[in-house]
Amino acid sequence: MKTDNTSLNLEKTVPQAEDFLPILGTDYVELYVGNAKQAAHYYQSAWGFQPVAYAGLETGIKDRVSYVLQQDKIRLVLTSPLQSGGDINRHIDAHGDGVKVVALWVDDATKSYKETTARGAESYLRPKTIEDNHGKVVLSGIHTYGETVHIFVERKDYRGVFMPGYRPWNPLYRPEGTGLKYIDHMVGNVGWNEMNKWCKFYARVMGFAQLISFDDNDISTEYTALMSKVMSNGNGRIKFPINEPAEGRKKSQIEEYIDFYNGAGVQHIAVATDNIINTVSELRDRGVEFLHVPETYYDTVLDRVGEIDEDLEPLKELGVLIDRDDEGYLLQIFTKPVLDRPTMFFEIIQRKGAQSFGKGNFKALFEAIEREQEQRGTL
Ligand code: TYF
Ligand code: FE
């Protein structure tokens, strides 16, 4: 690690120039998927997201359909095309199901657009105001890595369920939530030697600062390798680690992603819970598949992390990983890819003081990923 936790603290206390892009939080994450109706059912039944809003033929939209689901502060939008041709079909053809939009909640979407495009961001959506009888929303957007985009959402003058163009979606089917609270971080995989370019993009264009950096010595296992830097916005609410593949003995998991996604894109979405044992038990009962770590991990883990509040036995039974830094500890676990292509997956994380990313688990985690790669014949 190039900067340890001491310098991580230092970075946080360095006085920043005025934030030209204040971000209130993640507004929503939009996936382009082949069958939004069935994907919505999956996120409801397996993950416990609640139905919120709908747009499609019934609301006068002819070429696409979108379902909006929410769990606490996490909002997902699932969008499918209704016709052949067009950008959404092309996106799905190239990437499979995946994240198109990481939407950021701001006070002023017009200013966010002006500040970022003036610093070199490529425009995706010029500021536009959409209105209905619940008020107005201002949207604007810029391109980031691959075909992923950021949309700035200004909703201070809106009181509807999501945004104009959508109507409330109230199905009878409403499985309970699983205790997921908010998006902790969202990770991008970029191509060979592109990590620094995209970190500079987040620094220069969006005013983010680097929190941590991992090189291939930190993370390389016997075979695979990667490099990673974590970029964070002024108030720390948004954390975007950026990974690039590194040369190892065998194929990097990042390279496998890039091959199947056909380029850069969102690799994992880390969602926070305040009771990882309950959340992961519930998710597992509903069919979500997690990476398996060998039981021997638990023979020595407490020597490494010291005392923790939880009983070790349920953590071991579920395969939850534990790591500590000088601010506290964290509990984390990773799903297998949630799509047929080995691309996007989820991380469930519970922070108990620690603000880092689980470096002490990298070896066990990456070896678990390699075992999956081996089964796919992509190692
Ligand atoms: O977000 C992180 O940095 C941790 C660790 O391919 C990690 O979740 C890093 C790379 C990766 C999977 C997990
Ligand atoms: Fe993560």
Side-chain angles (χ1 to χ4, degrees), residues 301-327:
V301 68
L302 293 184
D303 302 337
R304 180 163 61 78
V305 303
E307 228 172 89
I308 57 170
D309 302 335
E310 294 73 15
D311 288 333
L312 191 61
E313 206 44 46
L315 298 174
K316 176 176 175 178
E317 209 271 311
L318 295 167
V320 172
L321 306 173
I322 314 158
D323 196 28
R324 185 179 281 281
D325 64 25
D326 57 4
E327 294 177 279

PDB file of all heavy atoms in Angstrom, residues 301-327:
ATOM      1  N   VAL A 301      -7.943 -15.686  11.952  1.00  0.00           N
ATOM      2  CA  VAL A 301      -8.432 -14.323  11.689  1.00  0.00           C
ATOM      3  C   VAL A 301      -8.445 -13.456  12.949  1.00  0.00           C
ATOM      4  O   VAL A 301      -8.090 -12.271  12.904  1.00  0.00           O
ATOM      5  CB  VAL A 301      -9.817 -14.338  10.989  1.00  0.00           C
ATOM      6  CG1 VAL A 301     -10.908 -14.873  11.916  1.00  0.00           C
ATOM      7  CG2 VAL A 301     -10.182 -12.954  10.476  1.00  0.00           C
ATOM      8  N   LEU A 302      -8.781 -14.041  14.094  1.00  0.00           N
ATOM      9  CA  LEU A 302      -8.843 -13.221  15.314  1.00  0.00           C
ATOM     10  C   LEU A 302      -7.456 -12.801  15.799  1.00  0.00           C
ATOM     11  O   LEU A 302      -7.320 -11.767  16.453  1.00  0.00           O
ATOM     12  CB  LEU A 302      -9.626 -13.945  16.412  1.00  0.00           C
ATOM     13  CG  LEU A 302     -11.132 -14.132  16.121  1.00  0.00           C
ATOM     14  CD1 LEU A 302     -11.833 -14.767  17.323  1.00  0.00           C
ATOM     15  CD2 LEU A 302     -11.817 -12.829  15.727  1.00  0.00           C
ATOM     16  N   ASP A 303      -6.423 -13.580  15.452  1.00  0.00           N
ATOM     17  CA  ASP A 303      -5.048 -13.154  15.759  1.00  0.00           C
ATOM     18  C   ASP A 303      -4.730 -11.878  14.995  1.00  0.00           C
ATOM     19  O   ASP A 303      -4.005 -11.004  15.470  1.00  0.00           O
ATOM     20  CB  ASP A 303      -4.027 -14.231  15.358  1.00  0.00           C
ATOM     21  CG  ASP A 303      -4.301 -15.563  16.044  1.00  0.00           C
ATOM     22  OD1 ASP A 303      -4.950 -15.541  17.108  1.00  0.00           O
ATOM     23  OD2 ASP A 303      -3.873 -16.600  15.498  1.00  0.00           O
ATOM     24  N   ARG A 304      -5.266 -11.793  13.794  1.00  0.00           N
ATOM     25  CA  ARG A 304      -4.999 -10.638  12.937  1.00  0.00           C
ATOM     26  C   ARG A 304      -5.845  -9.423  13.353  1.00  0.00           C
ATOM     27  O   ARG A 304      -5.352  -8.299  13.400  1.00  0.00           O
ATOM     28  CB  ARG A 304      -5.280 -11.023  11.480  1.00  0.00           C
ATOM     29  CG  ARG A 304      -5.050  -9.923  10.467  1.00  0.00           C
ATOM     30  CD  ARG A 304      -4.934 -10.474   9.045  1.00  0.00           C
ATOM     31  NE  ARG A 304      -6.125 -11.173   8.597  1.00  0.00           N
ATOM     32  CZ  ARG A 304      -7.239 -10.582   8.178  1.00  0.00           C
ATOM     33  NH1 ARG A 304      -7.315  -9.268   8.147  1.00  0.00           N
ATOM     34  NH2 ARG A 304      -8.269 -11.288   7.777  1.00  0.00           N
ATOM     35  N   VAL A 305      -7.134  -9.646  13.603  1.00  0.00           N
ATOM     36  CA  VAL A 305      -8.031  -8.491  13.814  1.00  0.00           C
ATOM     37  C   VAL A 305      -8.348  -8.220  15.287  1.00  0.00           C
ATOM     38  O   VAL A 305      -8.941  -7.180  15.595  1.00  0.00           O
ATOM     39  CB  VAL A 305      -9.356  -8.636  13.021  1.00  0.00           C
ATOM     40  CG1 VAL A 305      -9.075  -8.799  11.541  1.00  0.00           C
ATOM     41  CG2 VAL A 305     -10.205  -9.784  13.542  1.00  0.00           C
ATOM     42  N   GLY A 306      -7.977  -9.118  16.184  1.00  0.00           N
ATOM     43  CA  GLY A 306      -8.273  -8.886  17.600  1.00  0.00           C
ATOM     44  C   GLY A 306      -9.728  -9.151  17.931  1.00  0.00           C
ATOM     45  O   GLY A 306     -10.430  -9.825  17.177  1.00  0.00           O
ATOM     46  N   GLU A 307     -10.156  -8.557  19.037  1.00  0.00           N
ATOM     47  CA  GLU A 307     -11.501  -8.833  19.521  1.00  0.00           C
ATOM     48  C   GLU A 307     -12.568  -8.152  18.668  1.00  0.00           C
ATOM     49  O   GLU A 307     -12.392  -7.005  18.243  1.00  0.00           O
ATOM     50  CB  GLU A 307     -11.621  -8.323  20.962  1.00  0.00           C
ATOM     51  CG  GLU A 307     -12.245  -9.325  21.910  1.00  0.00           C
ATOM     52  CD  GLU A 307     -12.152  -8.825  23.342  1.00  0.00           C
ATOM     53  OE1 GLU A 307     -13.082  -8.115  23.745  1.00  0.00           O
ATOM     54  OE2 GLU A 307     -11.148  -9.140  24.024  1.00  0.00           O
ATOM     55  N   ILE A 308     -13.667  -8.854  18.437  1.00  0.00           N
ATOM     56  CA  ILE A 308     -14.796  -8.254  17.728  1.00  0.00           C
ATOM     57  C   ILE A 308     -16.085  -8.514  18.514  1.00  0.00           C
ATOM     58  O   ILE A 308     -16.120  -9.409  19.351  1.00  0.00           O
ATOM     59  CB  ILE A 308     -14.928  -8.799  16.278  1.00  0.00           C
ATOM     60  CG1 ILE A 308     -15.072 -10.324  16.269  1.00  0.00           C
ATOM     61  CG2 ILE A 308     -13.748  -8.371  15.425  1.00  0.00           C
ATOM     62  CD1 ILE A 308     -15.441 -10.902  14.917  1.00  0.00           C
ATOM     63  N   ASP A 309     -17.112  -7.718  18.235  1.00  0.00           N
ATOM     64  CA  ASP A 309     -18.379  -7.822  18.974  1.00  0.00           C
ATOM     65  C   ASP A 309     -19.134  -9.109  18.647  1.00  0.00           C
ATOM     66  O   ASP A 309     -19.886  -9.613  19.473  1.00  0.00           O
ATOM     67  CB  ASP A 309     -19.305  -6.642  18.639  1.00  0.00           C
ATOM     68  CG  ASP A 309     -18.657  -5.306  18.950  1.00  0.00           C
ATOM     69  OD1 ASP A 309     -17.758  -5.288  19.817  1.00  0.00           O
ATOM     70  OD2 ASP A 309     -19.031  -4.296  18.325  1.00  0.00           O
ATOM     71  N   GLU A 310     -18.962  -9.599  17.410  1.00  0.00           N
ATOM     72  CA  GLU A 310     -19.768 -10.717  16.932  1.00  0.00           C
ATOM     73  C   GLU A 310     -19.171 -12.057  17.354  1.00  0.00           C
ATOM     74  O   GLU A 310     -17.968 -12.172  17.574  1.00  0.00           O
ATOM     75  CB  GLU A 310     -19.862 -10.708  15.395  1.00  0.00           C
ATOM     76  CG  GLU A 310     -20.612  -9.526  14.798  1.00  0.00           C
ATOM     77  CD  GLU A 310     -19.845  -8.214  14.879  1.00  0.00           C
ATOM     78  OE1 GLU A 310     -18.614  -8.241  15.141  1.00  0.00           O
ATOM     79  OE2 GLU A 310     -20.474  -7.156  14.712  1.00  0.00           O
ATOM     80  N   ASP A 311     -20.027 -13.080  17.434  1.00  0.00           N
ATOM     81  CA  ASP A 311     -19.537 -14.449  17.577  1.00  0.00           C
ATOM     82  C   ASP A 311     -18.875 -14.853  16.267  1.00  0.00           C
ATOM     83  O   ASP A 311     -19.401 -14.550  15.190  1.00  0.00           O
ATOM     84  CB  ASP A 311     -20.696 -15.419  17.837  1.00  0.00           C
ATOM     85  CG  ASP A 311     -21.248 -15.242  19.243  1.00  0.00           C
ATOM     86  OD1 ASP A 311     -20.480 -14.802  20.121  1.00  0.00           O
ATOM     87  OD2 ASP A 311     -22.445 -15.538  19.433  1.00  0.00           O
ATOM     88  N   LEU A 312     -17.767 -15.568  16.362  1.00  0.00           N
ATOM     89  CA  LEU A 312     -17.067 -15.972  15.132  1.00  0.00           C
ATOM     90  C   LEU A 312     -17.849 -17.051  14.371  1.00  0.00           C
ATOM     91  O   LEU A 312     -17.826 -17.092  13.140  1.00  0.00           O
ATOM     92  CB  LEU A 312     -15.663 -16.480  15.483  1.00  0.00           C
ATOM     93  CG  LEU A 312     -14.733 -16.684  14.280  1.00  0.00           C
ATOM     94  CD1 LEU A 312     -14.519 -15.358  13.542  1.00  0.00           C
ATOM     95  CD2 LEU A 312     -13.392 -17.255  14.714  1.00  0.00           C
ATOM     96  N   GLU A 313     -18.547 -17.893  15.126  1.00  0.00           N
ATOM     97  CA  GLU A 313     -19.184 -19.064  14.510  1.00  0.00           C
ATOM     98  C   GLU A 313     -20.144 -18.712  13.363  1.00  0.00           C
ATOM     99  O   GLU A 313     -20.000 -19.237  12.258  1.00  0.00           O
ATOM    100  CB  GLU A 313     -19.873 -19.912  15.599  1.00  0.00           C
ATOM    101  CG  GLU A 313     -20.028 -21.377  15.250  1.00  0.00           C
ATOM    102  CD  GLU A 313     -18.787 -22.005  14.622  1.00  0.00           C
ATOM    103  OE1 GLU A 313     -17.649 -21.805  15.120  1.00  0.00           O
ATOM    104  OE2 GLU A 313     -18.951 -22.694  13.602  1.00  0.00           O
ATOM    105  N   PRO A 314     -21.124 -17.807  13.560  1.00  0.00           N
ATOM    106  CA  PRO A 314     -22.005 -17.455  12.434  1.00  0.00           C
ATOM    107  C   PRO A 314     -21.261 -16.779  11.277  1.00  0.00           C
ATOM    108  O   PRO A 314     -21.622 -16.976  10.112  1.00  0.00           O
ATOM    109  CB  PRO A 314     -23.046 -16.508  13.048  1.00  0.00           C
ATOM    110  CG  PRO A 314     -22.525 -16.121  14.379  1.00  0.00           C
ATOM    111  CD  PRO A 314     -21.579 -17.182  14.820  1.00  0.00           C
ATOM    112  N   LEU A 315     -20.220 -16.014  11.590  1.00  0.00           N
ATOM    113  CA  LEU A 315     -19.446 -15.371  10.513  1.00  0.00           C
ATOM    114  C   LEU A 315     -18.771 -16.439   9.665  1.00  0.00           C
ATOM    115  O   LEU A 315     -18.755 -16.374   8.429  1.00  0.00           O
ATOM    116  CB  LEU A 315     -18.399 -14.413  11.096  1.00  0.00           C
ATOM    117  CG  LEU A 315     -18.947 -13.238  11.919  1.00  0.00           C
ATOM    118  CD1 LEU A 315     -17.806 -12.445  12.553  1.00  0.00           C
ATOM    119  CD2 LEU A 315     -19.797 -12.315  11.034  1.00  0.00           C
ATOM    120  N   LYS A 316     -18.224 -17.449  10.353  1.00  0.00           N
ATOM    121  CA  LYS A 316     -17.558 -18.561   9.676  1.00  0.00           C
ATOM    122  C   LYS A 316     -18.571 -19.358   8.851  1.00  0.00           C
ATOM    123  O   LYS A 316     -18.308 -19.746   7.722  1.00  0.00           O
ATOM    124  CB  LYS A 316     -16.902 -19.449  10.741  1.00  0.00           C
ATOM    125  CG  LYS A 316     -16.248 -20.705  10.231  1.00  0.00           C
ATOM    126  CD  LYS A 316     -15.568 -21.433  11.385  1.00  0.00           C
ATOM    127  CE  LYS A 316     -14.999 -22.771  10.936  1.00  0.00           C
ATOM    128  NZ  LYS A 316     -14.304 -23.457  12.035  1.00  0.00           N
ATOM    129  N   GLU A 317     -19.718 -19.582   9.431  1.00  0.00           N
ATOM    130  CA  GLU A 317     -20.747 -20.364   8.746  1.00  0.00           C
ATOM    131  C   GLU A 317     -21.171 -19.675   7.446  1.00  0.00           C
ATOM    132  O   GLU A 317     -21.412 -20.322   6.424  1.00  0.00           O
ATOM    133  CB  GLU A 317     -21.933 -20.562   9.701  1.00  0.00           C
ATOM    134  CG  GLU A 317     -22.719 -21.828   9.470  1.00  0.00           C
ATOM    135  CD  GLU A 317     -23.847 -21.629   8.475  1.00  0.00           C
ATOM    136  OE1 GLU A 317     -24.604 -20.655   8.634  1.00  0.00           O
ATOM    137  OE2 GLU A 317     -23.946 -22.430   7.521  1.00  0.00           O
ATOM    138  N   LEU A 318     -21.245 -18.350   7.496  1.00  0.00           N
ATOM    139  CA  LEU A 318     -21.682 -17.592   6.311  1.00  0.00           C
ATOM    140  C   LEU A 318     -20.525 -17.273   5.354  1.00  0.00           C
ATOM    141  O   LEU A 318     -20.752 -16.980   4.188  1.00  0.00           O
ATOM    142  CB  LEU A 318     -22.348 -16.279   6.740  1.00  0.00           C
ATOM    143  CG  LEU A 318     -23.661 -16.420   7.518  1.00  0.00           C
ATOM    144  CD1 LEU A 318     -24.052 -15.089   8.156  1.00  0.00           C
ATOM    145  CD2 LEU A 318     -24.772 -16.930   6.601  1.00  0.00           C
ATOM    146  N   GLY A 319     -19.297 -17.289   5.872  1.00  0.00           N
ATOM    147  CA  GLY A 319     -18.141 -16.921   5.044  1.00  0.00           C
ATOM    148  C   GLY A 319     -17.869 -15.423   5.031  1.00  0.00           C
ATOM    149  O   GLY A 319     -17.261 -14.899   4.099  1.00  0.00           O
ATOM    150  N   VAL A 320     -18.286 -14.723   6.097  1.00  0.00           N
ATOM    151  CA  VAL A 320     -18.032 -13.277   6.207  1.00  0.00           C
ATOM    152  C   VAL A 320     -16.561 -13.036   6.544  1.00  0.00           C
ATOM    153  O   VAL A 320     -16.002 -13.708   7.417  1.00  0.00           O
ATOM    154  CB  VAL A 320     -18.950 -12.650   7.281  1.00  0.00           C
ATOM    155  CG1 VAL A 320     -18.567 -11.190   7.546  1.00  0.00           C
ATOM    156  CG2 VAL A 320     -20.414 -12.765   6.870  1.00  0.00           C
ATOM    157  N   LEU A 321     -15.935 -12.086   5.858  1.00  0.00           N
ATOM    158  CA  LEU A 321     -14.527 -11.759   6.064  1.00  0.00           C
ATOM    159  C   LEU A 321     -14.399 -10.577   7.027  1.00  0.00           C
ATOM    160  O   LEU A 321     -15.296  -9.734   7.104  1.00  0.00           O
ATOM    161  CB  LEU A 321     -13.869 -11.403   4.725  1.00  0.00           C
ATOM    162  CG  LEU A 321     -14.016 -12.438   3.609  1.00  0.00           C
ATOM    163  CD1 LEU A 321     -13.475 -11.885   2.290  1.00  0.00           C
ATOM    164  CD2 LEU A 321     -13.275 -13.718   3.974  1.00  0.00           C
ATOM    165  N   ILE A 322     -13.272 -10.522   7.741  1.00  0.00           N
ATOM    166  CA  ILE A 322     -13.078  -9.500   8.776  1.00  0.00           C
ATOM    167  C   ILE A 322     -11.734  -8.816   8.554  1.00  0.00           C
ATOM    168  O   ILE A 322     -10.748  -9.469   8.228  1.00  0.00           O
ATOM    169  CB  ILE A 322     -13.089 -10.142  10.189  1.00  0.00           C
ATOM    170  CG1 ILE A 322     -14.266 -11.127  10.325  1.00  0.00           C
ATOM    171  CG2 ILE A 322     -13.147  -9.071  11.282  1.00  0.00           C
ATOM    172  CD1 ILE A 322     -14.068 -12.167  11.410  1.00  0.00           C
ATOM    173  N   ASP A 323     -11.707  -7.496   8.723  1.00  0.00           N
ATOM    174  CA  ASP A 323     -10.426  -6.793   8.634  1.00  0.00           C
ATOM    175  C   ASP A 323     -10.429  -5.619   9.605  1.00  0.00           C
ATOM    176  O   ASP A 323     -11.481  -5.138   9.997  1.00  0.00           O
ATOM    177  CB  ASP A 323     -10.173  -6.301   7.193  1.00  0.00           C
ATOM    178  CG  ASP A 323      -8.709  -5.925   6.976  1.00  0.00           C
ATOM    179  OD1 ASP A 323      -7.828  -6.490   7.655  1.00  0.00           O
ATOM    180  OD2 ASP A 323      -8.442  -5.055   6.126  1.00  0.00           O
ATOM    181  N   ARG A 324      -9.256  -5.195   9.986  1.00  0.00           N
ATOM    182  CA  ARG A 324      -9.147  -4.089  10.940  1.00  0.00           C
ATOM    183  C   ARG A 324      -8.167  -3.039  10.421  1.00  0.00           C
ATOM    184  O   ARG A 324      -7.204  -3.360   9.742  1.00  0.00           O
ATOM    185  CB  ARG A 324      -8.659  -4.624  12.302  1.00  0.00           C
ATOM    186  CG  ARG A 324      -8.636  -3.569  13.406  1.00  0.00           C
ATOM    187  CD  ARG A 324      -8.181  -4.136  14.741  1.00  0.00           C
ATOM    188  NE  ARG A 324      -9.206  -4.883  15.457  1.00  0.00           N
ATOM    189  CZ  ARG A 324     -10.203  -4.347  16.173  1.00  0.00           C
ATOM    190  NH1 ARG A 324     -10.345  -3.034  16.256  1.00  0.00           N
ATOM    191  NH2 ARG A 324     -11.063  -5.125  16.808  1.00  0.00           N
ATOM    192  N   ASP A 325      -8.473  -1.761  10.709  1.00  0.00           N
ATOM    193  CA  ASP A 325      -7.475  -0.710  10.517  1.00  0.00           C
ATOM    194  C   ASP A 325      -7.403   0.095  11.803  1.00  0.00           C
ATOM    195  O   ASP A 325      -7.990  -0.306  12.810  1.00  0.00           O
ATOM    196  CB  ASP A 325      -7.796   0.158   9.284  1.00  0.00           C
ATOM    197  CG  ASP A 325      -9.099   0.935   9.422  1.00  0.00           C
ATOM    198  OD1 ASP A 325      -9.532   1.212  10.558  1.00  0.00           O
ATOM    199  OD2 ASP A 325      -9.695   1.261   8.371  1.00  0.00           O
ATOM    200  N   ASP A 326      -6.689   1.247  11.808  1.00  0.00           N
ATOM    201  CA  ASP A 326      -6.511   1.933  13.090  1.00  0.00           C
ATOM    202  C   ASP A 326      -7.760   2.684  13.556  1.00  0.00           C
ATOM    203  O   ASP A 326      -7.771   3.265  14.629  1.00  0.00           O
ATOM    204  CB  ASP A 326      -5.264   2.832  13.068  1.00  0.00           C
ATOM    205  CG  ASP A 326      -5.318   3.847  11.951  1.00  0.00           C
ATOM    206  OD1 ASP A 326      -6.348   3.895  11.250  1.00  0.00           O
ATOM    207  OD2 ASP A 326      -4.343   4.596  11.782  1.00  0.00           O
ATOM    208  N   GLU A 327      -8.824   2.645  12.746  1.00  0.00           N
ATOM    209  CA  GLU A 327     -10.059   3.300  13.189  1.00  0.00           C
ATOM    210  C   GLU A 327     -11.121   2.312  13.678  1.00  0.00           C
ATOM    211  O   GLU A 327     -12.149   2.725  14.205  1.00  0.00           O
ATOM    212  CB  GLU A 327     -10.645   4.143  12.057  1.00  0.00           C
ATOM    213  CG  GLU A 327      -9.750   5.322  11.675  1.00  0.00           C
ATOM    214  CD  GLU A 327     -10.304   6.098  10.503  1.00  0.00           C
ATOM    215  OE1 GLU A 327     -10.114   5.673   9.355  1.00  0.00           O
ATOM    216  OE2 GLU A 327     -10.951   7.132  10.738  1.00  0.00           O
TER     217      GLU A 327
END
